[in-house]
Amino acid sequence: MNPSRTAFTRRGFLGLAAAAAAAPTLSACGGSSSSSRNSIEFWDMPWATPAYNTAAKKITQSYVPASGDLRTNYQIIQWNNFYQTFSSAIASKTGPAVSTGAGFQAFQFEQQGAIAHADNVIDALKKNGQYDDFLPGVLEPFKSDNGYVAVPWQMDMRVFWYRKSLLDKADAAVPTDWPSLLQAGKALKKAGAIGFCTGSGAGNNIGNHFLIAMMLNNGGGVWTPDGHVDLLNDRNVEAVEFVRELVSNGVIDPGAVSYTTNNMDAQWKDKQAGFGLYVLGLPQRVGDTSGDIIAASPLTGPHGDKAALVFLNNIMMYKNTPSQSSSEAFLVYYLGRIKQLWQQNLMNSLPVFKSITALPEFTKDANNVRILKEYQPIAKTSAARGTALSANLAVLDGGQAINQFTQTVLGGKTDAKSALRTFQSGLQSVITS
């Protein structure tokens, strides 16, 4: 991953709700229809360094379609204003036939009637044996009442990390549960380090993810099992009160409300941060592969719960294609070749296929192995306590309600119930159902 870039690897956010209001509706007309093209357009995002896109383009250009199917063109779409780019292109019928993109993007465009369901792709994967290669739990969230909205290809896990030398200096054990997290945080602070590294400054969603992760780790979550907002449940209140305890004890730095990901990177790189929640591949991200930054095991909540927050990045297809069968054939081909991206050490995310996790290029990183073994089986999406993904998750992840909530909690400004009540009101005012 490019360390200078904010963690784009799941991208269900970055102002999607605001962008949706400003972007054209999909009923707009104008532009040339993709049905007039004689090739499939595959739009991909800069998921890592430029070498990633070079490799993905090579995979695409190596595709030799069967007789009657179309070839595929590869195009890079930048994250900056990406939602407007997709929405405008789809509205004018000049958009892609297949794309990667934001984690919940497919569900937003499905609501607007633009997504081609992937059931035929899933059937093809069953026939070629790749369906059984999916890790447990990664495919089910994409099944809607109308079919598979998209197909997952990588996982972006939120992971607890620690710097061993700082814990040793503070004479503190690696936290395993909430009490030991508080104890270690106090010891780290006393030793002059940051006890829990997080942030909610401009463009930084890690603080948001930390709060959601703690709710999940306590058996709570934003939603009921059937998808209704339920932020004021007792487990959420307990989780937020615990975070407020970290704040009141100075374990979370008072400046965290303004820390960007660049600030957090510097804190880890400069050996200031002792423990915290961050993205996969933290040592590589900050350029410290000495072995001092280590993935901790998931914490155990006060009621014995264990959970981790994961974002499932996916590949989606669109109805406006010159050939739906060609879109499907290319997607099956591409999914069968993405192991090359991990073989070339280009991906800073967990694969969704068991066979890729067995590659020597993946298993040589002890942190990856631990995260896969300990985090993936207990991972939950931000849809929890439900499991099905939806467009509402983009509104949650990209909206102002969660940003304001995180600022309030990390700033120690009010009690848990008041903060959650305001969060619930703000979220309910903008969700679609």
Side-chain angles (χ1 to χ4, degrees), residues 219-359:
V222 176
W223 318 92
T224 63
D226 57 353
H228 298 290
V229 179
D230 181 32
L231 280 160
L232 282 161
N233 65 75
D234 291 343
R235 295 297 185 91
N236 288 351
V237 173
E238 187 176 23
V240 174
E241 286 293 0
F242 176 74
V243 174
R244 291 184 71 254
E245 190 173 4
L246 296 179
V247 172
S248 66
N249 281 279
V251 173
I252 293 177
D253 193 305
V257 292
S258 62
Y259 289 156
T260 64
T261 52
N262 287 337
N263 295 138
M264 292 178 62
D265 290 348
Q267 289 161 356
W268 281 103
K269 181 180 179 64
D270 297 340
K271 300 184 179 181
Q272 297 174 339
F275 195 86
L277 187 83
Y278 215 178
V279 296
L280 211 73
L282 176 58
Q284 293 83 357
R285 180 182 176 93
V286 302
D288 186 345
T289 55
S290 64
D292 196 28
I293 301 177
I294 303 170
S297 295
L299 299 178
T300 301
H303 304 278
D305 301 277
K306 277 191 177 183
L309 177 62
V310 67
F311 297 90
L312 299 172
N313 294 313
N314 53 85
I315 304 179
M316 61 208 84
M317 298 183 296
Y318 301 83
K319 289 181 178 178
N320 189 51
T321 173
S323 168
Q324 183 58 40
S325 63
S326 295
S327 294
E328 293 165 355
F330 168 72
L331 181 49
V332 172
Y333 160 83
Y334 192 78
L335 290 168
R337 302 301 187 279
I338 59 171
K339 68 179 181 180
Q340 297 176 28
L341 303 174
W342 276 270
Q343 287 174 317
Q344 297 175 54
N345 295 310
L346 298 174
M347 298 303 300
N348 191 30
S349 58
L350 294 178
V352 299
F353 293 115
K354 301 171 191 173
S355 57
I356 299 179
T357 68
L359 293 172

Side-chain angles (χ1 to χ4, degrees), residues 87-98:
S87 187
S88 297
I90 293 170
S92 62
K93 299 187 183 301
T94 58
V98 183

Side-chain angles (χ1 to χ4, degrees), residues 107 118 121-123 125-126 130-144 147-153 155 312 314 335 352-353 376 387-389:
F107 294 89
V121 171
I122 299 303
D123 288 342
L125 295 178
K126 289 178 179 178
Q130 200 168 4
Y131 179 87
D132 293 330
D133 198 23
F134 279 112
L135 287 163
V138 299
L139 185 58
E140 291 80 357
F142 294 93
K143 182 68 178 292
S144 74
Y148 286 95
V149 179
V151 184
W153 71 288
M155 294 179 283
L312 299 172
N314 53 85
L335 290 168
V352 299
F353 293 115
Q376 196 276 324
T387 56
L389 303 178

Side-chain angles (χ1 to χ4, degrees), residues 128-208:
N128 70 16
Q130 200 168 4
Y131 179 87
D132 293 330
D133 198 23
F134 279 112
L135 287 163
V138 299
L139 185 58
E140 291 80 357
F142 294 93
K143 182 68 178 292
S144 74
D145 292 340
N146 298 317
Y148 286 95
V149 179
V151 184
W153 71 288
Q154 55 157 308
M155 294 179 283
D156 186 21
M157 195 77 67
R158 292 295 168 264
V159 177
F160 288 111
W161 296 93
Y162 67 95
R163 186 175 278 280
K164 183 178 184 301
S165 59
L166 285 181
L167 283 176
D168 290 345
K169 179 182 177 182
D171 194 24
V174 179
T176 58
D177 53 20
W178 291 16
S180 59
L181 172 59
L182 179 60
Q183 182 178 0
K186 289 179 178 178
L188 285 164
K189 179 179 181 293
K190 186 176 180 180
I194 295 173
F196 192 94
C197 182
T198 190
S200 61
N204 185 3
N205 293 269
I206 298 299
N208 298 353

Side-chain angles (χ1 to χ4, degrees), residues 101-129:
F104 311 120
Q105 177 177 316
F107 294 89
Q108 292 183 295
F109 288 137
E110 185 203 29
Q111 267 191 344
Q112 301 175 48
I115 290 294
H117 290 93
D119 294 59
N120 289 341
V121 171
I122 299 303
D123 288 342
L125 295 178
K126 289 178 179 178
K127 290 178 181 178
N128 70 16

